[in-house]
Amino acid sequence: MRTFGMAIVEAAALAMAWGVAMAQDRSVHLMAPGTVVKESFTLVDKTVPLPEGEFVFVASQVRDATHVKGEWIRQRVQLVTVYLAQLDGDQLRAEVLAATVLDPRFTYSKWEDEPCNRSDTLFGLDLSQSPGYRQNCLQVNHITNIYTRQPPGIYGDAYGWLQQRAVRLPLDVVIQATVTRIEVGERLSVTHRFNPAAFGCDVGKNASWATSAWHPNAVDKDDQRKQFVASVVEWGKALQAQIDQRFRNRGAASAPLASRIYRCAG
């Protein structure tokens, strides 16, 4: 027999599920710092996929856009950027940075940006339809000496948050995949950064970008590092494909990305 108490429990469960669904649809930059999300999050009107596991929303920032032209008698276009982190104990495992137009009604603007013009990276894939106002770019690169001091911008907010939680800093190296999708006045840039040390990898020596063990000229000498980079490349391709699908079809369902980041044999 269904009791009154059971009905209360069921109602509470439905309310909780509804609250989770509403939180997933609400733009993360409007949420309180410390909010935990997984699989994906909404930024203004864009869906941003996440690597596996839970991520903490840490900070947001609004700034005037550059590399854009339009009718300047109107309000200047602004970008909103958010930073999320994933911790594993006292290690920073992964970071996510995403930026898009704060007010999507400003479609009269036209972006003049070439996100795929760098060639000295670990990997690049340019699927742009034209060199002008339509960009679809993936770049995978290694970044060395992360958080040796407080950086500018939103990474500075991240640095303070990580220090408060006694996270092990600095990081010798991260491997980052950045997808930039531009369609005339629309823009979404997503960066996923992975800490190889948190995935059991021997990071080697990384005194500088040019002399790093993860440089394109050196990474293939170590099979574990090679496989780790390859997994980030595959992750970046899957990320790029899903972002592009969402640009082409607003109603497309977002499924968790199937790719996984390689874990080195410690």
Side-chain angles (χ1 to χ4, degrees), residues 40-229:
S40 68
F41 63 87
T42 299
L43 182 59
V44 187
D45 62 341
K46 304 289 191 297
T47 299
V48 180
L50 284 169
E52 62 180 330
E54 295 183 340
F55 281 76
V56 180
F57 166 55
V58 175
S60 65
Q61 185 179 83
V62 175
R63 61 179 175 84
D64 287 341
T66 57
H67 301 293
V68 63
K69 73 176 184 179
E71 300 173 28
W72 298 114
I73 58 173
R74 304 187 188 186
Q75 183 177 346
R76 188 168 178 83
V77 178
Q78 291 185 310
L79 289 175
V80 57
T81 303
V82 294
Y83 171 93
L84 298 89
Q86 183 183 72
L87 303 182
D88 183 4
D90 63 351
Q91 275 192 311
L92 177 58
R93 190 170 188 267
E95 300 174 291
V96 170
L97 197 75
T100 194
V101 178
L102 180 62
D103 189 338
R105 294 174 299 174
F106 292 159
T107 55
Y108 61 84
S109 305
K110 294 181 178 180
W111 295 94
E112 295 182 315
D113 200 359
E114 296 182 9
C116 256
N117 61 357
R118 185 171 178 177
S119 60
D120 59 347
T121 57
L122 291 164
F123 180 81
L125 181 60
D126 188 354
L127 299 178
S128 303
Q129 295 180 344
S130 68
Y133 307 131
R134 291 179 173 86
Q135 298 285 340
N136 186 2
C137 173
L138 164 65
Q139 291 212 316
V140 177
N141 198 10
H142 71 291
I143 311 297
T144 59
N145 301 310
I146 310 298
Y147 299 126
T148 55
R149 61 181 66 86
Q150 184 165 5
I154 198 167
Y155 281 118
D157 296 333
Y159 177 79
W161 184 87
L162 294 167
Q163 280 200 320
Q164 289 174 7
R165 282 150 186 81
V167 174
R168 278 186 268 168
L169 298 176
L171 306 182
D172 286 344
V173 64
V174 297
I175 308 301
Q176 73 172 33
T178 297
V179 172
T180 304
R181 184 69 172 88
I182 297 172
E183 189 71 25
V184 190
E186 290 190 84
R187 179 190 181 103
L188 176 63
S189 178
V190 179
T191 294
H192 289 180
R193 305 208 302 187
F194 302 96
N195 175 13
F199 288 82
C201 301
D202 176 4
V203 298
K205 296 181 179 180
N206 300 278
S208 69
W209 180 88
T211 62
S212 170
W214 298 81
H215 188 274
N217 294 334
V219 70
D220 286 350
K221 298 176 182 178
D222 184 280
D223 186 63
Q224 297 276 289
R225 294 173 194 148
K226 180 180 177 180
Q227 290 188 65
F228 186 86
V229 169

